[in-house]
Amino acid sequence: MPTVLRKALLALVYGLLVVPAGLIVRRVRDPLAPRPDPRATTYWIPTRG
């Protein structure tokens, strides 16, 4: 029984803390969006061969 209670509490904490925090961060800005560099002439990354 303790493992069931532990999993339920972890799910509750995740649902009440982690999910809303992630949603708030995504509303403020996109964490994966690249930030443009105004000094860059190009974003091309040269490759060999």
Side-chain angles (χ1 to χ4, degrees):
M1 188 68 178
T3 58
V4 174
L5 183 59
R6 184 180 305 143
K7 288 181 182 181
L9 287 174
L10 284 174
L12 185 66
V13 168
Y14 183 81
L16 292 176
L17 296 177
V18 176
V19 172
L23 291 175
I24 289 170
V25 168
R26 289 189 66 175
R27 290 291 272 171
V28 173
R29 65 177 178 86
D30 185 6
L32 297 179
R35 287 158 184 74
D37 182 8
R39 296 175 292 157
T41 57
T42 183
Y43 289 103
W44 183 264
I45 299 172
T47 59
R48 283 185 270 173

mmCIF file of all heavy atoms in Angstrom:
data_model
loop_
_atom_site.group_PDB
_atom_site.id
_atom_site.type_symbol
_atom_site.label_atom_id
_atom_site.label_comp_id
_atom_site.label_asym_id
_atom_site.label_seq_id
_atom_site.Cartn_x
_atom_site.Cartn_y
_atom_site.Cartn_z
ATOM 1 N N MET A 1 0.801 -1.210 0.000
ATOM 2 C CA MET A 1 0.000 0.000 0.000
ATOM 3 C C MET A 1 0.842 1.272 0.000
ATOM 4 O O MET A 1 0.436 2.247 -0.616
ATOM 5 C CB MET A 1 -0.948 -0.042 1.203
ATOM 6 C CG MET A 1 -1.961 1.063 1.204
ATOM 7 S SD MET A 1 -3.100 0.813 -0.155
ATOM 8 C CE MET A 1 -4.184 2.148 0.094
ATOM 9 N N PRO A 2 1.983 1.327 0.691
ATOM 10 C CA PRO A 2 2.768 2.568 0.678
ATOM 11 C C PRO A 2 3.222 2.972 -0.725
ATOM 12 O O PRO A 2 3.339 4.155 -1.012
ATOM 13 C CB PRO A 2 3.963 2.264 1.570
ATOM 14 C CG PRO A 2 3.538 1.140 2.432
ATOM 15 C CD PRO A 2 2.556 0.356 1.628
ATOM 16 N N THR A 3 3.504 2.007 -1.611
ATOM 17 C CA THR A 3 3.951 2.380 -2.951
ATOM 18 C C THR A 3 2.831 3.040 -3.744
ATOM 19 O O THR A 3 3.078 3.941 -4.535
ATOM 20 C CB THR A 3 4.481 1.157 -3.717
ATOM 21 O OG1 THR A 3 3.461 0.178 -3.794
ATOM 22 C CG2 THR A 3 5.700 0.584 -3.034
ATOM 23 N N VAL A 4 1.594 2.600 -3.520
ATOM 24 C CA VAL A 4 0.460 3.214 -4.207
ATOM 25 C C VAL A 4 0.282 4.646 -3.718
ATOM 26 O O VAL A 4 0.074 5.573 -4.519
ATOM 27 C CB VAL A 4 -0.828 2.390 -3.967
ATOM 28 C CG1 VAL A 4 -2.033 3.102 -4.547
ATOM 29 C CG2 VAL A 4 -0.688 1.004 -4.558
ATOM 30 N N LEU A 5 0.380 4.849 -2.420
ATOM 31 C CA LEU A 5 0.258 6.192 -1.857
ATOM 32 C C LEU A 5 1.397 7.094 -2.334
ATOM 33 O O LEU A 5 1.175 8.265 -2.668
ATOM 34 C CB LEU A 5 0.247 6.116 -0.331
ATOM 35 C CG LEU A 5 0.054 7.433 0.404
ATOM 36 C CD1 LEU A 5 -1.263 8.078 0.017
ATOM 37 C CD2 LEU A 5 0.129 7.213 1.894
ATOM 38 N N ARG A 6 2.602 6.555 -2.405
ATOM 39 C CA ARG A 6 3.756 7.335 -2.865
ATOM 40 C C ARG A 6 3.570 7.772 -4.314
ATOM 41 O O ARG A 6 3.817 8.919 -4.666
ATOM 42 C CB ARG A 6 5.032 6.507 -2.722
ATOM 43 C CG ARG A 6 6.283 7.279 -3.075
ATOM 44 C CD ARG A 6 7.533 6.441 -2.928
ATOM 45 N NE ARG A 6 7.603 5.880 -1.591
ATOM 46 C CZ ARG A 6 8.066 4.669 -1.313
ATOM 47 N NH1 ARG A 6 8.508 3.899 -2.273
ATOM 48 N NH2 ARG A 6 8.096 4.228 -0.084
ATOM 49 N N LYS A 7 3.102 6.857 -5.155
ATOM 50 C CA LYS A 7 2.883 7.201 -6.564
ATOM 51 C C LYS A 7 1.773 8.225 -6.718
ATOM 52 O O LYS A 7 1.861 9.137 -7.547
ATOM 53 C CB LYS A 7 2.570 5.950 -7.366
ATOM 54 C CG LYS A 7 3.768 5.065 -7.566
ATOM 55 C CD LYS A 7 3.431 3.844 -8.383
ATOM 56 C CE LYS A 7 4.642 2.950 -8.530
ATOM 57 N NZ LYS A 7 4.352 1.776 -9.341
ATOM 58 N N ALA A 8 0.742 8.105 -5.902
ATOM 59 C CA ALA A 8 -0.359 9.062 -5.963
ATOM 60 C C ALA A 8 0.112 10.447 -5.533
ATOM 61 O O ALA A 8 -0.255 11.453 -6.149
ATOM 62 C CB ALA A 8 -1.518 8.590 -5.094
ATOM 63 N N LEU A 9 0.915 10.511 -4.477
ATOM 64 C CA LEU A 9 1.429 11.804 -4.025
ATOM 65 C C LEU A 9 2.371 12.426 -5.042
ATOM 66 O O LEU A 9 2.324 13.639 -5.280
ATOM 67 C CB LEU A 9 2.133 11.649 -2.674
ATOM 68 C CG LEU A 9 1.209 11.426 -1.474
ATOM 69 C CD1 LEU A 9 2.028 11.149 -0.231
ATOM 70 C CD2 LEU A 9 0.293 12.603 -1.280
ATOM 71 N N LEU A 10 3.213 11.620 -5.657
ATOM 72 C CA LEU A 10 4.113 12.150 -6.689
ATOM 73 C C LEU A 10 3.330 12.666 -7.894
ATOM 74 O O LEU A 10 3.669 13.699 -8.465
ATOM 75 C CB LEU A 10 5.119 11.083 -7.115
ATOM 76 C CG LEU A 10 6.251 10.820 -6.133
ATOM 77 C CD1 LEU A 10 7.086 9.640 -6.606
ATOM 78 C CD2 LEU A 10 7.111 12.047 -5.967
ATOM 79 N N ALA A 11 2.286 11.948 -8.265
ATOM 80 C CA ALA A 11 1.446 12.398 -9.376
ATOM 81 C C ALA A 11 0.748 13.706 -9.016
ATOM 82 O O ALA A 11 0.635 14.616 -9.852
ATOM 83 C CB ALA A 11 0.425 11.329 -9.731
ATOM 84 N N LEU A 12 0.307 13.833 -7.784
ATOM 85 C CA LEU A 12 -0.344 15.051 -7.333
ATOM 86 C C LEU A 12 0.627 16.234 -7.334
ATOM 87 O O LEU A 12 0.298 17.326 -7.819
ATOM 88 C CB LEU A 12 -0.919 14.841 -5.934
ATOM 89 C CG LEU A 12 -1.735 15.983 -5.355
ATOM 90 C CD1 LEU A 12 -3.009 16.174 -6.155
ATOM 91 C CD2 LEU A 12 -2.049 15.706 -3.902
ATOM 92 N N VAL A 13 1.822 16.019 -6.824
ATOM 93 C CA VAL A 13 2.840 17.076 -6.820
ATOM 94 C C VAL A 13 3.190 17.479 -8.245
ATOM 95 O O VAL A 13 3.293 18.666 -8.563
ATOM 96 C CB VAL A 13 4.097 16.623 -6.051
ATOM 97 C CG1 VAL A 13 5.261 17.563 -6.280
ATOM 98 C CG2 VAL A 13 3.788 16.518 -4.567
ATOM 99 N N TYR A 14 3.352 16.502 -9.113
ATOM 100 C CA TYR A 14 3.660 16.790 -10.514
ATOM 101 C C TYR A 14 2.539 17.611 -11.146
ATOM 102 O O TYR A 14 2.789 18.599 -11.837
ATOM 103 C CB TYR A 14 3.855 15.480 -11.282
ATOM 104 C CG TYR A 14 4.255 15.674 -12.715
ATOM 105 C CD1 TYR A 14 5.564 15.942 -13.054
ATOM 106 C CD2 TYR A 14 3.314 15.595 -13.740
ATOM 107 C CE1 TYR A 14 5.938 16.126 -14.370
ATOM 108 C CE2 TYR A 14 3.673 15.778 -15.045
ATOM 109 C CZ TYR A 14 4.985 16.035 -15.358
ATOM 110 O OH TYR A 14 5.341 16.221 -16.662
ATOM 111 N N GLY A 15 1.311 17.205 -10.910
ATOM 112 C CA GLY A 15 0.179 17.902 -11.509
ATOM 113 C C GLY A 15 -0.043 19.296 -10.954
ATOM 114 O O GLY A 15 -0.528 20.177 -11.661
ATOM 115 N N LEU A 16 0.305 19.504 -9.688
ATOM 116 C CA LEU A 16 0.063 20.809 -9.067
ATOM 117 C C LEU A 16 1.242 21.770 -9.155
ATOM 118 O O LEU A 16 1.053 22.979 -9.034
ATOM 119 C CB LEU A 16 -0.326 20.617 -7.593
ATOM 120 C CG LEU A 16 -1.673 19.948 -7.350
ATOM 121 C CD1 LEU A 16 -1.885 19.722 -5.866
ATOM 122 C CD2 LEU A 16 -2.805 20.767 -7.947
ATOM 123 N N LEU A 17 2.458 21.255 -9.344
ATOM 124 C CA LEU A 17 3.631 22.129 -9.368
ATOM 125 C C LEU A 17 4.334 22.163 -10.722
ATOM 126 O O LEU A 17 4.591 23.234 -11.269
ATOM 127 C CB LEU A 17 4.629 21.702 -8.294
ATOM 128 C CG LEU A 17 4.160 21.831 -6.845
ATOM 129 C CD1 LEU A 17 5.222 21.301 -5.903
ATOM 130 C CD2 LEU A 17 3.823 23.263 -6.528
ATOM 131 N N VAL A 18 4.671 21.020 -11.255
ATOM 132 C CA VAL A 18 5.494 20.966 -12.465
ATOM 133 C C VAL A 18 4.712 21.397 -13.698
ATOM 134 O O VAL A 18 5.198 22.208 -14.499
ATOM 135 C CB VAL A 18 6.089 19.550 -12.639
ATOM 136 C CG1 VAL A 18 6.867 19.438 -13.928
ATOM 137 C CG2 VAL A 18 6.958 19.200 -11.446
ATOM 138 N N VAL A 19 3.514 20.887 -13.872
ATOM 139 C CA VAL A 19 2.732 21.217 -15.068
ATOM 140 C C VAL A 19 2.394 22.713 -15.130
ATOM 141 O O VAL A 19 2.635 23.355 -16.156
ATOM 142 C CB VAL A 19 1.467 20.328 -15.150
ATOM 143 C CG1 VAL A 19 0.555 20.799 -16.273
ATOM 144 C CG2 VAL A 19 1.862 18.875 -15.351
ATOM 145 N N PRO A 20 1.865 23.311 -14.054
ATOM 146 C CA PRO A 20 1.595 24.758 -14.143
ATOM 147 C C PRO A 20 2.856 25.597 -14.361
ATOM 148 O O PRO A 20 2.813 26.588 -15.086
ATOM 149 C CB PRO A 20 0.952 25.092 -12.795
ATOM 150 C CG PRO A 20 0.397 23.818 -12.310
ATOM 151 C CD PRO A 20 1.316 22.756 -12.819
ATOM 152 N N ALA A 21 3.966 25.200 -13.748
ATOM 153 C CA ALA A 21 5.208 25.951 -13.956
ATOM 154 C C ALA A 21 5.620 25.896 -15.421
ATOM 155 O O ALA A 21 6.024 26.907 -16.005
ATOM 156 C CB ALA A 21 6.311 25.399 -13.066
ATOM 157 N N GLY A 22 5.517 24.749 -16.036
ATOM 158 C CA GLY A 22 5.848 24.620 -17.454
ATOM 159 C C GLY A 22 4.918 25.426 -18.342
ATOM 160 O O GLY A 22 5.353 26.040 -19.323
ATOM 161 N N LEU A 23 3.646 25.437 -18.002
ATOM 162 C CA LEU A 23 2.698 26.215 -18.798
ATOM 163 C C LEU A 23 2.953 27.714 -18.666
ATOM 164 O O LEU A 23 2.839 28.456 -19.646
ATOM 165 C CB LEU A 23 1.265 25.884 -18.365
ATOM 166 C CG LEU A 23 0.792 24.479 -18.707
ATOM 167 C CD1 LEU A 23 -0.585 24.225 -18.120
ATOM 168 C CD2 LEU A 23 0.786 24.242 -20.202
ATOM 169 N N ILE A 24 3.305 28.163 -17.473
ATOM 170 C CA ILE A 24 3.603 29.585 -17.276
ATOM 171 C C ILE A 24 4.840 29.976 -18.071
ATOM 172 O O ILE A 24 4.862 31.018 -18.731
ATOM 173 C CB ILE A 24 3.785 29.888 -15.778
ATOM 174 C CG1 ILE A 24 2.436 29.795 -15.068
ATOM 175 C CG2 ILE A 24 4.412 31.256 -15.571
ATOM 176 C CD1 ILE A 24 2.513 29.843 -13.567
ATOM 177 N N VAL A 25 5.869 29.141 -18.042
ATOM 178 C CA VAL A 25 7.091 29.440 -18.805
ATOM 179 C C VAL A 25 6.789 29.508 -20.288
ATOM 180 O O VAL A 25 7.276 30.389 -21.003
ATOM 181 C CB VAL A 25 8.187 28.390 -18.502
ATOM 182 C CG1 VAL A 25 9.333 28.500 -19.476
ATOM 183 C CG2 VAL A 25 8.685 28.551 -17.082
ATOM 184 N N ARG A 26 5.959 28.612 -20.783
ATOM 185 C CA ARG A 26 5.637 28.629 -22.210
ATOM 186 C C ARG A 26 4.776 29.820 -22.593
ATOM 187 O O ARG A 26 4.805 30.279 -23.733
ATOM 188 C CB ARG A 26 4.946 27.334 -22.600
ATOM 189 C CG ARG A 26 5.927 26.164 -22.584
ATOM 190 C CD ARG A 26 5.340 24.944 -23.157
ATOM 191 N NE ARG A 26 5.105 25.171 -24.574
ATOM 192 C CZ ARG A 26 4.670 24.241 -25.390
ATOM 193 N NH1 ARG A 26 4.440 23.036 -24.955
ATOM 194 N NH2 ARG A 26 4.462 24.501 -26.657
ATOM 195 N N ARG A 27 3.967 30.343 -21.662
ATOM 196 C CA ARG A 27 3.166 31.531 -21.951
ATOM 197 C C ARG A 27 4.044 32.775 -22.033
ATOM 198 O O ARG A 27 3.774 33.686 -22.813
ATOM 199 C CB ARG A 27 2.098 31.751 -20.872
ATOM 200 C CG ARG A 27 0.993 30.763 -20.873
ATOM 201 C CD ARG A 27 0.118 30.907 -22.058
ATOM 202 N NE ARG A 27 -0.932 31.873 -21.791
ATOM 203 C CZ ARG A 27 -1.741 32.326 -22.707
ATOM 204 N NH1 ARG A 27 -1.634 31.916 -23.938
ATOM 205 N NH2 ARG A 27 -2.660 33.187 -22.399
ATOM 206 N N VAL A 28 5.101 32.823 -21.224
ATOM 207 C CA VAL A 28 5.986 33.982 -21.198
ATOM 208 C C VAL A 28 6.872 33.997 -22.434
ATOM 209 O O VAL A 28 6.996 35.004 -23.116
ATOM 210 C CB VAL A 28 6.830 33.991 -19.903
ATOM 211 C CG1 VAL A 28 7.877 35.077 -19.934
ATOM 212 C CG2 VAL A 28 5.926 34.133 -18.691
ATOM 213 N N ARG A 29 7.516 32.866 -22.733
ATOM 214 C CA ARG A 29 8.377 32.779 -23.913
ATOM 215 C C ARG A 29 8.554 31.320 -24.291
ATOM 216 O O ARG A 29 8.315 30.433 -23.489
ATOM 217 C CB ARG A 29 9.735 33.406 -23.650
ATOM 218 C CG ARG A 29 10.534 32.681 -22.595
ATOM 219 C CD ARG A 29 11.917 33.296 -22.420
ATOM 220 N NE ARG A 29 12.639 32.610 -21.377
ATOM 221 C CZ ARG A 29 13.349 31.511 -21.547
ATOM 222 N NH1 ARG A 29 13.455 30.966 -22.741
ATOM 223 N NH2 ARG A 29 13.978 30.944 -20.540
ATOM 224 N N ASP A 30 8.980 31.090 -25.512
ATOM 225 C CA ASP A 30 9.260 29.735 -25.969
ATOM 226 C C ASP A 30 10.691 29.388 -25.574
ATOM 227 O O ASP A 30 11.636 29.991 -26.078
ATOM 228 C CB ASP A 30 9.093 29.641 -27.482
ATOM 229 C CG ASP A 30 9.251 28.228 -27.996
ATOM 230 O OD1 ASP A 30 9.383 27.303 -27.169
ATOM 231 O OD2 ASP A 30 9.234 28.049 -29.221
ATOM 232 N N PRO A 31 10.892 28.413 -24.674
ATOM 233 C CA PRO A 31 12.242 28.126 -24.200
ATOM 234 C C PRO A 31 13.178 27.563 -25.277
ATOM 235 O O PRO A 31 14.395 27.632 -25.130
ATOM 236 C CB PRO A 31 12.040 27.110 -23.081
ATOM 237 C CG PRO A 31 10.637 26.671 -23.156
ATOM 238 C CD PRO A 31 9.877 27.617 -24.011
ATOM 239 N N LEU A 32 12.635 27.039 -26.358
ATOM 240 C CA LEU A 32 13.484 26.460 -27.403
ATOM 241 C C LEU A 32 13.688 27.392 -28.591
ATOM 242 O O LEU A 32 14.411 27.044 -29.525
ATOM 243 C CB LEU A 32 12.887 25.131 -27.892
ATOM 244 C CG LEU A 32 12.810 24.034 -26.847
ATOM 245 C CD1 LEU A 32 12.170 22.790 -27.447
ATOM 246 C CD2 LEU A 32 14.178 23.700 -26.307
ATOM 247 N N ALA A 33 13.061 28.544 -28.572
ATOM 248 C CA ALA A 33 13.193 29.458 -29.695
ATOM 249 C C ALA A 33 14.584 30.083 -29.700
ATOM 250 O O ALA A 33 15.061 30.562 -28.676
ATOM 251 C CB ALA A 33 12.146 30.554 -29.607
ATOM 252 N N PRO A 34 15.240 30.096 -30.857
ATOM 253 C CA PRO A 34 16.550 30.742 -30.926
ATOM 254 C C PRO A 34 16.409 32.253 -30.814
ATOM 255 O O PRO A 34 15.459 32.846 -31.320
ATOM 256 C CB PRO A 34 17.080 30.339 -32.302
ATOM 257 C CG PRO A 34 15.879 30.015 -33.094
ATOM 258 C CD PRO A 34 14.842 29.513 -32.129
ATOM 259 N N ARG A 35 17.353 32.852 -30.147
ATOM 260 C CA ARG A 35 17.337 34.298 -30.016
ATOM 261 C C ARG A 35 18.199 34.902 -31.123
ATOM 262 O O ARG A 35 19.370 34.558 -31.244
ATOM 263 C CB ARG A 35 17.863 34.701 -28.651
ATOM 264 C CG ARG A 35 16.850 34.389 -27.562
ATOM 265 C CD ARG A 35 17.498 34.272 -26.203
ATOM 266 N NE ARG A 35 16.574 33.883 -25.172
ATOM 267 C CZ ARG A 35 16.072 32.663 -25.021
ATOM 268 N NH1 ARG A 35 16.379 31.717 -25.857
ATOM 269 N NH2 ARG A 35 15.249 32.386 -24.036
ATOM 270 N N PRO A 36 17.628 35.769 -31.930
ATOM 271 C CA PRO A 36 18.403 36.330 -33.039
ATOM 272 C C PRO A 36 19.524 37.238 -32.552
ATOM 273 O O PRO A 36 19.369 37.983 -31.597
ATOM 274 C CB PRO A 36 17.372 37.116 -33.839
ATOM 275 C CG PRO A 36 16.262 37.378 -32.893
ATOM 276 C CD PRO A 36 16.270 36.265 -31.894
ATOM 277 N N ASP A 37 20.655 37.145 -33.233
ATOM 278 C CA ASP A 37 21.803 37.995 -32.939
ATOM 279 C C ASP A 37 21.808 39.130 -33.959
ATOM 280 O O ASP A 37 22.027 38.897 -35.150
ATOM 281 C CB ASP A 37 23.090 37.181 -33.029
ATOM 282 C CG ASP A 37 24.324 37.985 -32.679
ATOM 283 O OD1 ASP A 37 24.181 39.136 -32.224
ATOM 284 O OD2 ASP A 37 25.433 37.461 -32.850
ATOM 285 N N PRO A 38 21.565 40.362 -33.544
ATOM 286 C CA PRO A 38 21.493 41.463 -34.508
ATOM 287 C C PRO A 38 22.824 41.741 -35.205
ATOM 288 O O PRO A 38 22.850 42.332 -36.277
ATOM 289 C CB PRO A 38 21.054 42.663 -33.673
ATOM 290 C CG PRO A 38 21.268 42.288 -32.259
ATOM 291 C CD PRO A 38 21.303 40.786 -32.192
ATOM 292 N N ARG A 39 23.936 41.297 -34.617
ATOM 293 C CA ARG A 39 25.250 41.519 -35.236
ATOM 294 C C ARG A 39 25.604 40.452 -36.258
ATOM 295 O O ARG A 39 26.551 40.608 -37.014
ATOM 296 C CB ARG A 39 26.323 41.567 -34.157
ATOM 297 C CG ARG A 39 26.150 42.750 -33.191
ATOM 298 C CD ARG A 39 27.153 42.693 -32.078
ATOM 299 N NE ARG A 39 26.817 41.537 -31.245
ATOM 300 C CZ ARG A 39 27.650 40.887 -30.451
ATOM 301 N NH1 ARG A 39 28.894 41.275 -30.358
ATOM 302 N NH2 ARG A 39 27.250 39.864 -29.737
ATOM 303 N N ALA A 40 24.881 39.354 -36.295
ATOM 304 C CA ALA A 40 25.220 38.253 -37.204
ATOM 305 C C ALA A 40 24.820 38.608 -38.635
ATOM 306 O O ALA A 40 23.736 39.128 -38.882
ATOM 307 C CB ALA A 40 24.516 36.984 -36.769
ATOM 308 N N THR A 41 25.721 38.321 -39.559
ATOM 309 C CA THR A 41 25.390 38.539 -40.968
ATOM 310 C C THR A 41 24.681 37.326 -41.543
ATOM 311 O O THR A 41 23.918 37.443 -42.487
ATOM 312 C CB THR A 41 26.662 38.835 -41.780
ATOM 313 O OG1 THR A 41 27.575 37.756 -41.608
ATOM 314 C CG2 THR A 41 27.305 40.127 -41.300
ATOM 315 N N THR A 42 24.942 36.148 -40.982
ATOM 316 C CA THR A 42 24.297 34.924 -41.414
ATOM 317 C C THR A 42 24.275 33.928 -40.257
ATOM 318 O O THR A 42 25.043 34.045 -39.308
ATOM 319 C CB THR A 42 25.025 34.313 -42.631
ATOM 320 O OG1 THR A 42 24.313 33.147 -43.055
ATOM 321 C CG2 THR A 42 26.460 33.928 -42.277
ATOM 322 N N TYR A 43 23.389 32.983 -40.368
ATOM 323 C CA TYR A 43 23.327 31.911 -39.377
ATOM 324 C C TYR A 43 23.812 30.583 -39.977
ATOM 325 O O TYR A 43 23.641 29.543 -39.369
ATOM 326 C CB TYR A 43 21.903 31.754 -38.837
ATOM 327 C CG TYR A 43 21.500 32.895 -37.941
ATOM 328 C CD1 TYR A 43 20.671 33.889 -38.399
ATOM 329 C CD2 TYR A 43 21.979 32.963 -36.641
ATOM 330 C CE1 TYR A 43 20.301 34.941 -37.586
ATOM 331 C CE2 TYR A 43 21.618 34.011 -35.820
ATOM 332 C CZ TYR A 43 20.786 34.994 -36.291
ATOM 333 O OH TYR A 43 20.426 36.020 -35.478
ATOM 334 N N TRP A 44 24.369 30.653 -41.150
ATOM 335 C CA TRP A 44 24.845 29.462 -41.836
ATOM 336 C C TRP A 44 26.031 28.879 -41.077
ATOM 337 O O TRP A 44 26.966 29.579 -40.708
ATOM 338 C CB TRP A 44 25.260 29.806 -43.260
ATOM 339 C CG TRP A 44 25.689 28.631 -44.052
ATOM 340 C CD1 TRP A 44 26.974 28.207 -44.235
ATOM 341 C CD2 TRP A 44 24.856 27.725 -44.768
ATOM 342 N NE1 TRP A 44 26.999 27.088 -45.008
ATOM 343 C CE2 TRP A 44 25.706 26.762 -45.353
ATOM 344 C CE3 TRP A 44 23.493 27.636 -44.972
ATOM 345 C CZ2 TRP A 44 25.218 25.721 -46.129
ATOM 346 C CZ3 TRP A 44 23.019 26.594 -45.735
ATOM 347 C CH2 TRP A 44 23.879 25.658 -46.303
ATOM 348 N N ILE A 45 25.992 27.557 -40.870
ATOM 349 C CA ILE A 45 27.098 26.863 -40.220
ATOM 350 C C ILE A 45 27.826 26.064 -41.306
ATOM 351 O O ILE A 45 27.256 25.133 -41.886
ATOM 352 C CB ILE A 45 26.603 25.917 -39.127
ATOM 353 C CG1 ILE A 45 25.872 26.716 -38.051
ATOM 354 C CG2 ILE A 45 27.771 25.142 -38.514
ATOM 355 C CD1 ILE A 45 25.176 25.853 -37.016
ATOM 356 N N PRO A 46 29.067 26.445 -41.627
ATOM 357 C CA PRO A 46 29.771 25.737 -42.697
ATOM 358 C C PRO A 46 30.086 24.294 -42.297
ATOM 359 O O PRO A 46 30.381 24.011 -41.133
ATOM 360 C CB PRO A 46 31.052 26.542 -42.884
ATOM 361 C CG PRO A 46 31.193 27.390 -41.681
ATOM 362 C CD PRO A 46 29.851 27.513 -41.056
ATOM 363 N N THR A 47 29.991 23.407 -43.277
ATOM 364 C CA THR A 47 30.318 21.997 -43.046
ATOM 365 C C THR A 47 31.424 21.583 -43.974
ATOM 366 O O THR A 47 31.662 22.196 -45.010
ATOM 367 C CB THR A 47 29.092 21.105 -43.296
ATOM 368 O OG1 THR A 47 28.657 21.280 -44.645
ATOM 369 C CG2 THR A 47 27.951 21.463 -42.366
ATOM 370 N N ARG A 48 32.110 20.534 -43.580
ATOM 371 C CA ARG A 48 33.184 20.009 -44.431
ATOM 372 C C ARG A 48 32.622 18.966 -45.385
ATOM 373 O O ARG A 48 31.778 18.183 -45.021
ATOM 374 C CB ARG A 48 34.259 19.361 -43.578
ATOM 375 C CG ARG A 48 35.140 20.395 -42.907
ATOM 376 C CD ARG A 48 36.250 19.723 -42.186
ATOM 377 N NE ARG A 48 35.742 19.466 -40.831
ATOM 378 C CZ ARG A 48 36.360 18.781 -39.913
ATOM 379 N NH1 ARG A 48 37.507 18.222 -40.167
ATOM 380 N NH2 ARG A 48 35.859 18.623 -38.718
ATOM 381 N N GLY A 49 33.152 18.995 -46.589
ATOM 382 C CA GLY A 49 32.998 17.995 -47.547
ATOM 383 C C GLY A 49 31.843 17.614 -48.242
ATOM 384 O O GLY A 49 31.320 16.877 -48.763
#
